[in-house]
Amino acid sequence: MSGPVVVFGSLNVDSTSYVAAFPAPGETILAHGFQVALGGKGSNQAVAAHVAGAEVELVARIGDDASGEFALATLERFGLPTGAVGRVADAPTGVAQITVADSGENTVIVTGGSNLALTPDVVDAERSRIAAAGLVLTQGELLVGTIERIAGVTSELGVRFVLNLAPPAPVAAEALVACDPLVLNEHEARAVGIGTDAPAGTSLDEWRELAASAAGTIARSIVVTLGAAGAVAADAEGSWTAPAPRVTAVDTTGAGD
């Protein structure tokens, strides 16, 4: 791959409380731990790609607030360039309120804030950056119109576009077909028409066949992640399965990013 990975990212500051078990509606409980950290699916993608050795450019928006300063400082500490991270005067930096139970499960509430300023016009303004990219990567925490504009511009410029459609968003079919790959979990796959009738417990090999039938029609290539079962992938040349290693879950926050 020549050129950087350009991530159009949601960027949030995560506040995480650690509890023995989730509270019932109306119940107040005490947490046994708390932390504040950089989050957002887009910044998670950018940091992961950077740690894996890729050259990364992150296009994102933060508020003119303390959370924004924290986010910038954290990106810089990771060694990521921040020249395309713009400030928004009239919106707070995006936040996620996370609760993690001792089981490793989590609940997450995301407030988009400044991420909503990453509009289709921003994509048009970054056209030269997209043209120089090795691939462009994004996810479902952006405005649907922005995702669709990224798909359109990358197609026009012949740049590979990778979309992790999490959380699920009603992205137009003509945008999805540009994805190479379109990355989905089991529920997101059903939302775009892959495995709609597949019952719970559908095997890895069966999901491989479902992905293969969708490759080249719903998207150029498909990856379906299936949690502890592993993942499947398919493109015009073939399909693959990747069983997952067995681990003890400690905190699943961001595991799908």
Side-chain angles (χ1 to χ4, degrees):
M1 182 184 74
S2 60
V5 175
V6 174
V7 179
F8 279 82
S10 60
L11 188 159
N12 298 325
V13 173
D14 293 353
S15 297
T16 304
S17 295
Y18 296 90
V19 299
F22 297 128
E27 181 184 11
T28 298
I29 62 173
L30 296 178
H32 56 69
F34 178 78
Q35 72 170 358
V36 176
L38 180 68
K41 291 182 178 296
S43 58
N44 288 349
Q45 289 175 327
V47 170
H50 172 71
V51 170
E55 179 187 356
V56 179
E57 297 179 6
L58 173 62
V59 181
R61 293 294 181 267
I62 57 173
D64 189 13
D65 52 19
S67 293
E69 292 293 344
F70 173 84
L72 277 180
T74 306
L75 289 170
E76 290 166 354
R77 191 162 64 249
F78 275 113
L80 282 163
T82 58
V85 179
R87 289 184 180 274
V88 179
D90 57 353
T93 300
V95 297
Q97 297 162 292
I98 303 168
T99 306
V100 178
D102 286 349
S103 64
E105 291 298 320
N106 65 71
T107 63
V108 184
I109 300 173
V110 176
T111 302
S114 55
N115 292 304
L116 302 181
L118 204 63
T119 62
D121 289 344
V122 174
V123 180
D124 292 333
E126 295 289 352
R127 190 179 180 90
S128 61
R129 194 185 303 274
I130 294 171
L135 67 84
V136 173
L137 172 63
T138 195
Q139 30 58 52
E141 283 186 334
L142 300 186
L143 296 168
V144 168
T146 301
I147 298 170
E148 292 173 348
R149 188 61 185 142
I150 295 169
V153 172
T154 52
S155 292
E156 291 169 20
L157 297 174
V159 176
R160 184 178 178 184
F161 176 44
V162 179
L163 172 63
N164 184 353
L165 194 59
V171 176
E174 55 266 32
L176 295 181
V177 79
C179 299
D180 188 17
L182 173 63
V183 183
L184 310 155
N185 67 18
E186 181 176 351
H187 306 292
E188 294 149 5
R190 290 189 173 96
V192 301
I194 302 171
T196 305
D197 299 322
T202 297
S203 72
L204 207 60
D205 285 337
E206 290 171 319
W207 272 107
R208 174 180 173 176
E209 293 178 6
L210 291 167
S213 68
T217 55
I218 289 177
R220 292 180 184 175
S221 58
I222 303 282
V223 173
V224 182
T225 61
L226 298 161
V232 300
D235 63 13
E237 297 182 1
S239 59
W240 306 266
T241 60
R246 295 297 173 186
V247 300
T248 299
V250 175
D251 181 355
T252 59
T253 307
D257 298 351

